[in-house]
Amino acid sequence: MYAVVRRYEGVTDPTEAGRRVNDGFVPILRQVSGFVAYYWVDAGNGVMVSTGVFEDQAGAEESIRRAADFVRDNLASLLPNPPQVAAGQVVAAG
């Protein structure tokens, strides 16, 4: 399995960002080959973190492309700063 973690800082409206992600982005991710799970977390103080899990690296990389497109087209005003992105093979899970 592969995971992608994105950390967004300076989020201007976490509630609205969460609504848009849930209603618009999650259905897009579910269409990615190898999709396993996705979580969007409000970490407080204008920080939000997403975690996507995929069966393989190709699915993880596709999710990165789709996330960039979705943020650009639907969340740019709420997520003014580019995310910190980390991706890699899952080496332990519970």
Side-chain angles (χ1 to χ4, degrees):
M1 286 192 302
Y2 271 73
V4 179
V5 178
R6 295 175 196 83
R7 177 185 168 97
Y8 298 89
E9 297 180 355
V11 179
T12 60
D13 186 341
T15 301
E16 179 62 15
R19 186 192 67 75
R20 291 183 193 183
V21 167
N22 192 59
D23 294 349
F25 186 58
V26 171
I28 291 169
L29 271 189
R30 287 189 175 135
Q31 297 173 4
V32 173
S33 178
F35 172 81
V36 174
Y38 180 80
Y39 306 95
W40 178 260
V41 178
D42 184 349
N45 297 319
V47 174
M48 300 196 89
V49 178
S50 70
T51 303
V53 181
F54 301 86
E55 292 176 3
D56 55 31
Q57 185 175 358
E61 290 174 355
E62 179 64 19
S63 80
I64 292 170
R65 287 188 287 277
R66 292 189 187 200
D69 290 345
F70 187 83
V71 168
R72 181 193 66 235
D73 296 343
N74 300 282
L75 292 172
S77 64
L78 302 175
L79 308 177
N81 302 312
Q84 300 170 359
V85 181
Q89 187 170 355
V90 175
V91 296

Coordinates of all heavy atoms in Angstrom, one line a residue:
M1 N 0.8 -1.2 0.0 CA 0.0 0.0 0.0 C 0.9 1.2 0.0 O 2.0 1.2 0.5 CB -0.9 0.0 1.2 CG -2.0 -1.0 1.2 SD -3.3 -0.7 2.5 CE -2.3 -0.8 3.9
Y2 N 0.3 2.3 -0.5 CA 1.0 3.6 -0.5 C 0.0 4.6 0.1 O -1.2 4.5 0.0 CB 1.3 4.1 -2.0 CG 2.6 3.6 -2.5 CD1 2.8 2.2 -2.8 CD2 3.6 4.4 -2.6 CE1 4.0 1.8 -3.3 CE2 4.9 4.0 -3.1 CZ 5.0 2.7 -3.4 OH 6.3 2.2 -3.8
A3 N 0.6 5.6 0.7 CA -0.1 6.7 1.4 C 0.4 8.1 0.9 O 1.6 8.2 0.6 CB -0.1 6.6 2.9
V4 N -0.5 9.0 0.9 CA -0.2 10.4 0.5 C -0.7 11.3 1.7 O -1.9 11.2 2.0 CB -0.8 10.9 -0.8 CG1 -0.5 12.3 -1.1 CG2 -0.4 10.0 -1.9
V5 N 0.1 12.1 2.2 CA -0.3 13.0 3.3 C 0.0 14.4 2.8 O 1.0 14.8 2.3 CB 0.5 12.7 4.6 CG1 0.1 13.7 5.7 CG2 0.3 11.3 5.1
R6 N -1.1 15.3 3.0 CA -0.9 16.7 2.6 C -1.3 17.5 3.8 O -2.3 17.3 4.5 CB -1.9 17.0 1.5 CG -1.6 16.4 0.2 CD -2.7 16.7 -0.8 NE -2.8 15.8 -1.9 CZ -3.3 14.6 -2.0 NH1 -4.0 14.2 -0.9 NH2 -3.3 13.9 -3.0
R7 N -0.4 18.5 4.1 CA -0.7 19.4 5.2 C -0.9 20.8 4.7 O 0.0 21.4 4.0 CB 0.5 19.4 6.2 CG 0.4 20.4 7.3 CD 1.7 20.4 8.2 NE 1.7 21.6 9.1 CZ 1.3 21.5 10.4 NH1 0.9 20.3 10.9 NH2 1.3 22.5 11.1
Y8 N -2.0 21.4 5.0 CA -2.4 22.7 4.5 C -2.4 23.7 5.7 O -3.0 23.4 6.7 CB -3.8 22.7 3.9 CG -4.0 21.9 2.7 CD1 -4.3 20.5 2.8 CD2 -3.8 22.4 1.4 CE1 -4.4 19.7 1.7 CE2 -3.9 21.6 0.3 CZ -4.2 20.3 0.4 OH -4.4 19.5 -0.7
E9 N -1.7 24.8 5.6 CA -1.7 25.8 6.6 C -2.3 27.1 6.1 O -2.4 27.4 4.9 CB -0.2 26.1 7.0 CG 0.5 24.9 7.6 CD 1.9 25.2 8.0 OE1 2.4 26.3 7.8 OE2 2.5 24.2 8.6
G10 N -2.9 27.9 7.0 CA -3.5 29.1 6.7 C -4.9 28.9 6.1 O -5.4 29.8 5.4
V11 N -5.6 27.8 6.4 CA -6.9 27.6 5.9 C -7.9 28.6 6.5 O -7.9 28.8 7.7 CB -7.4 26.1 6.3 CG1 -8.8 25.9 5.8 CG2 -6.4 25.1 5.8
T12 N -8.6 29.3 5.6 CA -9.4 30.4 6.0 C -10.8 30.0 6.5 O -11.3 30.8 7.3 CB -9.6 31.4 4.8 OG1 -10.2 30.7 3.7 CG2 -8.3 32.0 4.4
D13 N -11.3 28.9 6.1 CA -12.6 28.4 6.6 C -12.6 26.9 6.6 O -13.1 26.3 5.7 CB -13.7 29.0 5.7 CG -15.1 28.7 6.2 OD1 -15.3 27.8 7.1 OD2 -16.1 29.4 5.8
P14 N -12.2 26.3 7.7 CA -12.1 24.9 7.8 C -13.4 24.1 7.6 O -13.4 23.1 7.0 CB -11.5 24.6 9.2 CG -10.8 25.8 9.5 CD -11.6 26.9 8.9
T15 N -14.5 24.7 8.1 CA -15.8 24.0 7.9 C -16.2 23.9 6.5 O -16.6 22.9 6.0 CB -16.8 24.8 8.7 OG1 -16.5 24.8 10.1 CG2 -18.2 24.1 8.6
E16 N -16.0 25.0 5.8 CA -16.4 25.1 4.3 C -15.4 24.2 3.5 O -15.8 23.5 2.6 CB -16.4 26.5 3.8 CG -16.7 26.6 2.3 CD -18.1 26.1 1.9 OE1 -19.0 25.9 2.8 OE2 -18.3 25.9 0.7
A17 N -14.1 24.2 3.9 CA -13.2 23.4 3.2 C -13.6 21.9 3.4 O -13.5 21.1 2.4 CB -11.8 23.6 3.7
G18 N -13.9 21.5 4.6 CA -14.3 20.2 4.8 C -15.6 19.8 4.0 O -15.7 18.6 3.5
R19 N -16.5 20.7 3.9 CA -17.7 20.4 3.2 C -17.4 20.2 1.7 O -17.9 19.2 1.1 CB -18.7 21.5 3.3 CG -20.1 21.2 2.6 CD -21.0 22.5 2.5 NE -20.4 23.5 1.6 CZ -20.5 23.4 0.3 NH1 -21.0 22.3 -0.3 NH2 -20.0 24.3 -0.5
R20 N -16.6 21.0 1.1 CA -16.2 20.9 -0.3 C -15.4 19.7 -0.6 O -15.6 19.0 -1.6 CB -15.4 22.1 -0.7 CG -16.3 23.4 -0.8 CD -15.5 24.6 -1.3 NE -16.2 25.8 -1.1 CZ -15.7 27.0 -1.5 NH1 -14.6 27.1 -2.2 NH2 -16.4 28.1 -1.2
V21 N -14.5 19.3 0.3 CA -13.8 18.1 0.2 C -14.7 16.9 0.2 O -14.6 16.0 -0.6 CB -12.6 18.0 1.2 CG1 -12.0 16.6 1.3 CG2 -11.6 19.0 0.9
N22 N -15.5 16.8 1.2 CA -16.4 15.7 1.4 C -17.4 15.5 0.2 O -17.6 14.5 -0.3 CB -17.2 15.8 2.7 CG -17.9 14.6 3.1 OD1 -17.3 13.5 3.2 ND2 -19.3 14.6 3.2
D23 N -18.0 16.7 -0.2 CA -19.0 16.6 -1.3 C -18.4 16.5 -2.7 O -19.0 15.9 -3.6 CB -19.9 17.9 -1.2 CG -20.7 17.9 0.0 OD1 -20.8 16.9 0.8 OD2 -21.3 19.0 0.3
G24 N -17.2 17.1 -2.9 CA -16.6 17.2 -4.2 C -15.4 16.3 -4.5 O -15.3 15.7 -5.5
F25 N -14.5 16.3 -3.5 CA -13.2 15.6 -3.8 C -13.3 14.1 -3.4 O -12.7 13.3 -4.2 CB -12.1 16.3 -3.0 CG -10.7 15.7 -3.3 CD1 -10.3 15.7 -4.6 CD2 -9.9 15.1 -2.4 CE1 -9.0 15.1 -5.0 CE2 -8.7 14.6 -2.7 CZ -8.2 14.6 -4.0
V26 N -13.9 13.7 -2.4 CA -14.0 12.3 -2.0 C -14.6 11.5 -3.1 O -14.0 10.4 -3.4 CB -14.7 12.1 -0.6 CG1 -15.0 10.7 -0.4 CG2 -13.9 12.8 0.5
P27 N -15.7 11.9 -3.8 CA -16.2 11.1 -4.9 C -15.2 10.9 -6.0 O -15.1 9.9 -6.7 CB -17.4 11.9 -5.3 CG -17.9 12.6 -4.1 CD -16.6 13.0 -3.4
I28 N -14.4 12.0 -6.2 CA -13.3 11.9 -7.3 C -12.3 10.9 -6.9 O -11.8 10.0 -7.7 CB -12.7 13.3 -7.5 CG1 -13.7 14.2 -8.1 CG2 -11.4 13.2 -8.3 CD1 -13.3 15.7 -8.2
L29 N -11.8 10.9 -5.6 CA -10.8 9.9 -5.2 C -11.3 8.5 -5.2 O -10.5 7.6 -5.5 CB -10.4 10.3 -3.7 CG -9.3 11.2 -3.5 CD1 -8.8 11.2 -2.1 CD2 -8.1 10.9 -4.4
R30 N -12.6 8.3 -4.9 CA -13.1 6.9 -5.0 C -13.0 6.3 -6.3 O -13.1 5.1 -6.5 CB -14.6 6.9 -4.5 CG -14.7 7.1 -3.0 CD -16.1 6.9 -2.5 NE -16.1 7.0 -1.0 CZ -17.0 7.7 -0.4 NH1 -18.0 8.3 -1.0 NH2 -17.0 7.7 1.0
Q31 N -12.9 7.1 -7.4 CA -12.8 6.6 -8.7 C -11.3 6.3 -9.1 O -11.1 5.6 -10.1 CB -13.3 7.7 -9.7 CG -14.7 8.0 -9.6 CD -15.2 9.2 -10.4 OE1 -14.4 9.7 -11.2 NE2 -16.4 9.5 -10.3
V32 N -10.4 6.6 -8.3 CA -8.9 6.3 -8.6 C -8.7 4.8 -8.3 O -9.1 4.3 -7.3 CB -8.0 7.2 -7.7 CG1 -6.6 6.7 -7.8 CG2 -8.2 8.7 -8.0
S33 N -8.1 4.2 -9.3 CA -7.7 2.8 -9.2 C -6.9 2.5 -8.0 O -5.9 3.2 -7.7 CB -7.0 2.4 -10.5 OG -6.6 1.0 -10.4
G34 N -7.3 1.6 -7.2 CA -6.5 1.2 -6.0 C -6.9 2.0 -4.8 O -6.2 1.8 -3.7
F35 N -7.9 2.8 -4.8 CA -8.3 3.6 -3.7 C -8.7 2.7 -2.5 O -9.4 1.7 -2.7 CB -9.5 4.5 -4.0 CG -10.1 5.2 -2.8 CD1 -9.6 6.4 -2.4 CD2 -11.2 4.7 -2.2 CE1 -10.1 7.0 -1.3 CE2 -11.8 5.3 -1.1 CZ -11.2 6.5 -0.6
V36 N -8.2 3.0 -1.3 CA -8.5 2.3 -0.1 C -9.2 3.1 0.9 O -10.3 2.8 1.4 CB -7.2 1.7 0.6 CG1 -7.5 1.0 1.9 CG2 -6.5 0.7 -0.4
A37 N -8.7 4.3 1.2 CA -9.3 5.2 2.2 C -8.8 6.6 2.1 O -7.7 6.8 1.5 CB -9.0 4.7 3.6
Y38 N -9.6 7.6 2.7 CA -9.2 9.0 2.6 C -9.7 9.6 3.9 O -10.9 9.4 4.3 CB -9.8 9.7 1.4 CG -9.4 11.1 1.3 CD1 -8.2 11.5 0.9 CD2 -10.3 12.1 1.8 CE1 -7.8 12.9 0.8 CE2 -10.0 13.5 1.7 CZ -8.7 13.8 1.2 OH -8.4 15.2 1.2
Y39 N -8.9 10.5 4.5 CA -9.3 11.2 5.7 C -8.9 12.7 5.5 O -7.8 13.0 5.1 CB -8.6 10.6 6.9 CG -8.9 9.2 7.1 CD1 -7.9 8.2 6.6 CD2 -10.0 8.7 7.7 CE1 -8.2 6.9 6.7 CE2 -10.3 7.3 7.8 CZ -9.4 6.4 7.3 OH -9.6 5.1 7.4
W40 N -9.8 13.6 6.0 CA -9.5 15.0 6.0 C -9.7 15.5 7.4 O -10.8 15.3 8.0 CB -10.5 15.7 5.0 CG -10.4 17.2 4.9 CD1 -11.2 18.1 5.6 CD2 -9.5 18.0 4.2 NE1 -10.9 19.4 5.3 CE2 -9.8 19.3 4.4 CE3 -8.5 17.6 3.3 CZ2 -9.1 20.4 3.8 CZ3 -7.8 18.7 2.7 CH2 -8.1 20.0 2.9
V41 N -8.6 16.0 8.0 CA -8.6 16.3 9.4 C -8.4 17.8 9.7 O -7.5 18.4 9.1 CB -7.4 15.5 10.1 CG1 -7.4 15.8 11.6 CG2 -7.6 14.0 9.8
D42 N -9.2 18.3 10.5 CA -9.1 19.7 11.0 C -8.2 19.6 12.2 O -8.6 19.2 13.3 CB -10.4 20.3 11.4 CG -10.3 21.8 11.8 OD1 -9.2 22.3 12.0 OD2 -11.4 22.4 11.9
A43 N -6.9 20.0 12.1 CA -5.9 20.0 13.2 C -5.9 21.2 14.0 O -5.1 21.3 15.0 CB -4.5 19.7 12.6
G44 N -6.8 22.2 13.7 CA -6.9 23.4 14.5 C -5.9 24.5 14.0 O -5.0 24.2 13.3
N45 N -6.2 25.7 14.4 CA -5.3 26.8 14.1 C -5.1 27.0 12.6 O -4.0 27.3 12.2 CB -4.0 26.7 14.9 CG -4.2 26.8 16.4 OD1 -5.1 27.6 16.9 ND2 -3.5 26.0 17.1
G46 N -6.1 26.7 11.8 CA -5.9 26.9 10.4 C -5.1 25.9 9.7 O -4.7 26.1 8.5
V47 N -4.9 24.7 10.3 CA -4.2 23.6 9.7 C -5.1 22.5 9.4 O -5.9 22.1 10.3 CB -3.0 23.1 10.6 CG1 -2.4 21.9 10.1 CG2 -2.1 24.3 10.9
M48 N -5.1 22.0 8.2 CA -5.8 20.8 7.8 C -4.9 19.8 7.2 O -3.9 20.2 6.5 CB -7.0 21.1 6.9 CG -7.9 22.1 7.6 SD -9.5 22.3 6.8 CE -10.4 21.0 7.6
V49 N -5.1 18.5 7.5 CA -4.3 17.4 7.0 C -5.1 16.4 6.3 O -6.1 16.0 6.8 CB -3.5 16.8 8.2 CG1 -2.6 15.6 7.7 CG2 -2.7 17.8 8.9
S50 N -4.7 16.0 5.1 CA -5.4 14.9 4.4 C -4.5 13.7 4.3 O -3.2 13.8 4.2 CB -5.8 15.3 3.0 OG -4.7 15.5 2.2
T51 N -5.1 12.5 4.4 CA -4.3 11.2 4.2 C -5.1 10.4 3.3 O -6.3 10.1 3.5 CB -4.2 10.5 5.6 OG1 -3.5 11.4 6.5 CG2 -3.3 9.2 5.4
G52 N -4.5 10.0 2.2 CA -5.1 9.0 1.3 C -4.3 7.7 1.2 O -3.0 7.8 1.3
V53 N -5.0 6.6 1.2 CA -4.3 5.3 1.1 C -4.7 4.6 -0.1 O -5.9 4.6 -0.4 CB -4.6 4.5 2.4 CG1 -3.9 3.1 2.3 CG2 -4.3 5.2 3.7
F54 N -3.8 4.0 -0.8 CA -4.0 3.4 -2.1 C -3.3 2.0 -2.1 O -2.3 1.8 -1.4 CB -3.5 4.3 -3.2 CG -4.3 5.6 -3.2 CD1 -3.8 6.6 -2.4 CD2 -5.4 5.8 -3.9 CE1 -4.5 7.9 -2.4 CE2 -6.1 7.0 -3.9 CZ -5.6 8.0 -3.1
E55 N -3.7 1.1 -3.0 CA -3.1 -0.2 -3.1 C -1.7 -0.1 -3.7 O -0.9 -1.0 -3.4 CB -4.0 -1.1 -3.9 CG -5.3 -1.5 -3.3 CD -6.2 -2.3 -4.1 OE1 -5.8 -2.7 -5.3 OE2 -7.3 -2.6 -3.7
D56 N -1.5 0.9 -4.5 CA -0.2 1.0 -5.2 C 0.3 2.4 -5.4 O -0.5 3.4 -5.2 CB -0.2 0.2 -6.5 CG -1.3 0.7 -7.4 OD1 -1.7 1.9 -7.4 OD2 -1.8 -0.1 -8.2
Q57 N 1.5 2.6 -5.9 CA 2.1 3.9 -6.1 C 1.4 4.7 -7.2 O 1.2 5.9 -7.1 CB 3.6 3.7 -6.4 CG 4.3 5.1 -6.6 CD 5.8 4.9 -6.8 OE1 6.3 3.8 -6.9 NE2 6.5 6.0 -7.0
A58 N 0.9 4.0 -8.2 CA 0.2 4.6 -9.3 C -1.1 5.3 -8.8 O -1.3 6.5 -9.2 CB -0.1 3.6 -10.4
G59 N -1.8 4.7 -8.0 CA -3.0 5.3 -7.4 C -2.7 6.5 -6.6 O -3.4 7.5 -6.6
A60 N -1.6 6.4 -5.8 CA -1.2 7.5 -4.9 C -0.8 8.7 -5.8 O -1.2 9.9 -5.5 CB -0.1 7.1 -4.0
E61 N 0.0 8.5 -6.8 CA 0.4 9.5 -7.7 C -0.8 10.2 -8.4 O -0.8 11.4 -8.6 CB 1.4 9.0 -8.7 CG 2.8 8.7 -8.0 CD 3.8 8.1 -8.9 OE1 3.5 7.8 -10.1 OE2 4.9 7.9 -8.4
E62 N -1.7 9.4 -8.9 CA -2.9 9.9 -9.5 C -3.7 10.8 -8.5 O -4.3 11.8 -8.9 CB -3.8 8.8 -10.0 CG -5.1 9.3 -10.7 CD -4.9 10.1 -11.9 OE1 -3.8 10.0 -12.6 OE2 -5.8 10.8 -12.3
S63 N -3.8 10.4 -7.3 CA -4.5 11.2 -6.3 C -3.8 12.6 -6.1 O -4.5 13.6 -5.9 CB -4.6 10.5 -4.9 OG -3.4 10.6 -4.2
I64 N -2.5 12.6 -6.2 CA -1.8 13.9 -6.1 C -2.2 14.8 -7.2 O -2.4 16.0 -7.0 CB -0.2 13.7 -6.0 CG1 0.2 13.0 -4.7 CG2 0.5 15.0 -6.2 CD1 1.6 12.5 -4.7
R65 N -2.3 14.3 -8.4 CA -2.7 15.1 -9.6 C -4.1 15.6 -9.4 O -4.4 16.8 -9.6 CB -2.5 14.3 -10.9 CG -1.1 14.1 -11.3 CD -1.0 13.5 -12.7 NE -1.4 12.1 -12.7 CZ -0.6 11.1 -12.4 NH1 0.6 11.3 -12.0 NH2 -1.0 9.8 -12.4
R66 N -5.0 14.7 -9.0 CA -6.4 15.1 -8.9 C -6.6 16.1 -7.7 O -7.4 17.0 -7.9 CB -7.3 13.8 -8.7 CG -7.3 13.0 -9.9 CD -8.3 11.9 -9.8 NE -8.2 11.0 -11.0 CZ -9.2 10.2 -11.4 NH1 -10.3 10.2 -10.7 NH2 -9.0 9.4 -12.4
A67 N -5.8 15.9 -6.7 CA -5.9 16.9 -5.6 C -5.5 18.3 -6.0 O -6.2 19.3 -5.7 CB -5.1 16.4 -4.4
A68 N -4.4 18.4 -6.7 CA -3.9 19.7 -7.2 C -5.0 20.3 -8.1 O -5.3 21.5 -7.9 CB -2.6 19.5 -8.0
D69 N -5.6 19.6 -9.0 CA -6.6 20.1 -9.8 C -7.9 20.6 -9.0 O -8.4 21.7 -9.3 CB -7.1 19.1 -10.9 CG -6.0 18.8 -11.9 OD1 -5.1 19.6 -12.0 OD2 -6.2 17.8 -12.6
F70 N -8.3 19.8 -8.1 CA -9.4 20.1 -7.3 C -9.2 21.3 -6.4 O -10.1 22.2 -6.3 CB -9.9 18.9 -6.4 CG -11.2 19.2 -5.7 CD1 -12.4 18.9 -6.3 CD2 -11.2 19.7 -4.4 CE1 -13.6 19.2 -5.7 CE2 -12.4 19.9 -3.7 CZ -13.6 19.7 -4.4
V71 N -8.1 21.4 -5.8 CA -7.7 22.6 -5.0 C -7.7 23.8 -5.9 O -8.3 24.9 -5.5 CB -6.4 22.4 -4.2 CG1 -5.9 23.7 -3.6 CG2 -6.6 21.4 -3.1
R72 N -7.1 23.8 -7.0 CA -7.0 24.9 -7.9 C -8.4 25.4 -8.3 O -8.7 26.6 -8.3 CB -6.2 24.6 -9.1 CG -6.0 25.7 -10.1 CD -5.5 25.3 -11.5 NE -6.4 24.4 -12.1 CZ -6.1 23.2 -12.6 NH1 -4.9 22.7 -12.4 NH2 -7.1 22.5 -13.1
D73 N -9.3 24.4 -8.6 CA -10.6 24.7 -9.2 C -11.7 25.0 -8.1 O -12.6 25.7 -8.4 CB -11.1 23.6 -10.1 CG -10.2 23.4 -11.3 OD1 -9.4 24.3 -11.7 OD2 -10.3 22.3 -11.9
N74 N -11.5 24.5 -6.9 CA -12.6 24.6 -5.9 C -12.2 25.1 -4.6 O -13.1 25.4 -3.8 CB -13.2 23.2 -5.8 CG -13.7 22.6 -7.0 OD1 -14.8 23.0 -7.5 ND2 -13.0 21.8 -7.7
L75 N -10.9 25.1 -4.2 CA -10.5 25.5 -2.9 C -9.5 26.6 -2.8 O -9.0 26.9 -1.6 CB -10.0 24.2 -2.1 CG -11.0 23.1 -1.8 CD1 -10.3 21.9 -1.3 CD2 -12.0 23.6 -0.9
A76 N -9.1 27.2 -3.9 CA -8.0 28.1 -3.8 C -8.2 29.3 -2.8 O -7.3 29.7 -2.1 CB -7.7 28.7 -5.2
S77 N -9.5 29.7 -2.7 CA -9.7 30.8 -1.8 C -9.7 30.4 -0.3 O -9.4 31.2 0.6 CB -11.1 31.5 -2.1 OG -12.1 30.5 -1.8
L78 N -9.8 29.1 -0.1 CA -9.8 28.6 1.3 C -8.5 28.1 1.7 O -8.2 28.0 2.9 CB -10.9 27.5 1.5 CG -12.3 27.9 1.1 CD1 -13.3 26.7 1.2 CD2 -12.8 29.0 2.1
L79 N -7.7 27.6 0.8 CA -6.4 27.1 1.0 C -5.3 27.9 0.3 O -4.9 27.5 -0.8 CB -6.3 25.6 0.5 CG -7.4 24.7 1.0 CD1 -7.3 23.3 0.4 CD2 -7.4 24.5 2.5
P80 N -5.0 29.1 0.9 CA -4.2 30.0 0.2 C -2.7 29.6 0.0 O -2.0 30.2 -0.8 CB -4.3 31.3 1.0 CG -4.6 30.8 2.4 CD -5.4 29.5 2.2
N81 N -2.2 28.6 0.8 CA -0.8 28.2 0.7 C -0.7 26.9 0.1 O -1.5 26.0 0.4 CB -0.2 28.2 2.2 CG -0.4 29.6 2.8 OD1 0.0 30.6 2.2 ND2 -0.9 29.6 4.0
P82 N 0.4 26.6 -0.6 CA 0.6 25.3 -1.2 C 0.8 24.3 -0.1 O 1.4 24.6 1.0 CB 1.8 25.4 -2.1 CG 2.5 26.7 -1.6 CD 1.4 27.5 -1.0
P83 N 0.3 23.0 -0.3 CA 0.5 22.1 0.8 C 1.9 21.5 0.9 O 2.6 21.5 -0.1 CB -0.5 21.0 0.4 CG -0.5 21.0 -1.1 CD -0.4 22.5 -1.4
Q84 N 2.2 21.0 2.0 CA 3.4 20.1 2.2 C 2.9 18.7 1.9 O 1.9 18.3 2.4 CB 3.9 20.2 3.6 CG 4.4 21.6 4.0 CD 4.7 21.6 5.5 OE1 4.5 20.7 6.2 NE2 5.1 22.8 6.0
V85 N 3.5 18.1 0.9 CA 3.1 16.7 0.5 C 4.2 15.7 0.7 O 5.3 15.9 0.4 CB 2.7 16.7 -1.0 CG1 2.2 15.4 -1.5 CG2 1.7 17.8 -1.4
A86 N 3.8 14.6 1.3 CA 4.7 13.5 1.6 C 3.9 12.2 1.1 O 2.7 12.1 1.3 CB 5.0 13.3 3.0
A87 N 4.6 11.4 0.4 CA 4.0 10.1 -0.1 C 5.1 9.0 0.0 O 6.3 9.2 -0.1 CB 3.6 10.3 -1.6
G88 N 4.6 7.8 0.2 CA 5.5 6.7 0.2 C 4.8 5.4 0.6 O 3.5 5.4 0.8
Q89 N 5.5 4.3 0.6 CA 5.0 3.0 0.9 C 4.7 2.9 2.3 O 5.4 3.3 3.2 CB 6.0 2.0 0.5 CG 5.5 0.6 0.6 CD 6.5 -0.4 0.0 OE1 7.5 -0.1 -0.6 NE2 6.2 -1.7 0.1
V90 N 3.5 2.3 2.6 CA 3.1 2.0 4.0 C 3.9 0.8 4.5 O 3.9 -0.2 3.8 CB 1.6 1.7 4.0 CG1 1.2 1.3 5.4 CG2 0.8 2.9 3.6
V91 N 4.6 1.0 5.6 CA 5.5 0.0 6.1 C 4.9 -0.6 7.4 O 5.5 -1.6 7.9 CB 6.9 0.5 6.3 CG1 7.5 0.8 5.0 CG2 7.0 1.6 7.2
A92 N 3.9 0.0 8.0 CA 3.2 -0.6 9.2 C 1.8 -0.1 9.2 O 1.5 1.1 8.8 CB 3.9 -0.2 10.4
A93 N 0.9 -0.9 9.6 CA -0.5 -0.5 9.7 C -1.2 -1.2 10.8 O -0.8 -2.3 11.2 CB -1.2 -0.7 8.3
G94 N -2.3 -0.6 11.3 CA -3.0 -1.3 12.3 C -4.5 -1.2 12.1 O -5.0 -0.7 11.2

